[in-house]
Amino acid sequence: MKWIKQIYDCFHAYKQWFLILITTDLLFIFLAWLAYPETFKVLVGLMIVFTLAMISLSVFIIIRKQKIIEAAFQDFLLEANETNEEILCQVSPKTYWPFIRRMGSVIRSYQAELNEQVTQLTDYENYIEGWVHEIKKPLSLMTLVLDNRSDEMSPLFRQRMLHIRDQMFGDVGRILYFARLGATHKDYIFESINLLAFCKQTIEDHQTLLDESGFQIQFIGEEMEILSDRKGLAFILEQIIANSTKHVAQNQDHPILEFETVYDKVSDQTILHIRDNGPGVSEEDLPFIFDKGFTGGRGTYTRQATGMGLFLVSKMAYDLAIQLDAKSELGSGLTISLIFPHVKQ
């Protein structure tokens, strides 16, 4: 069918020339009928055969020429250098040469700007990664002091310092992951994870954040095994925990963070519900809480947000093939569900 379309496109592109040729033939047929009535049929037959042969030969040449131009144009689009531009000009009609040269100049100009922006972006990413590694040194020193000089500090002062340190670690982790969002290679290692035990371990690692806000932790459900990347999953849980502690309602007496594992028999999927009893999110804001930079318009939950934590959660979840779902009403807390993919082992 492809060759039929090529022939149709050829007739459509050069229809005016074919119409002129047919009109000329009709004129000569009329003249032959007037001048040579005795040999009219022979002349008309020869003229029709000759016309069909010329049309077939023209179509063949046009299609072959078109293929050569298409191949040269494809190479020119992939790499619009001066060599490919010259090749395209040589196979194209001379009337198109000014347009080809102008197009090549514009493409090369945009390509140079793009290369410069890529270089600047790479330098920026390298600077951010270097800065993150540098800031980890004083944080590690702070940890060393807090561990070895705890007897010289009051319990409240030490708890506040641990809280600030963990907040800084969380901020550093977010900025590092954000800088790596556009990376083509990400070193995820998928392995079997006991979900409930992993949540408990993550809670222990961020206990100071939860203690500072007075959170009570609850675990519901049975232990379940999933396949995921430990660092990536820990990053997701950390951001959700930090989000709950950041937006705990003022003067809230008993903030609760609940982790519930559920197995959905219908979809054959494991689900982790992370639920708090904070101020919640308004119905208008809920569909947008995973959007970049969204801080909410009317919801009290998102009023103090930077709009980056849950956005990064959505990006990491996408990389790990984890579906996200959020349910909430104002004053009733927020539930974020992690739906893990079913993997045949």
Side-chain angles (χ1 to χ4, degrees), residues 279-294:
V281 182
S282 68
E283 184 178 355
E284 295 86 357
D285 289 343
L286 191 60
F288 308 105
I289 62 172
F290 295 110
D291 291 352
K292 181 181 178 181
F294 180 76

Side-chain angles (χ1 to χ4, degrees), residues 67-79:
K67 287 182 178 179
I68 295 173
I69 294 175
E70 287 178 1
F73 187 66
Q74 186 68 24
D75 293 339
F76 176 71
L77 286 181
L78 292 175
E79 189 173 0

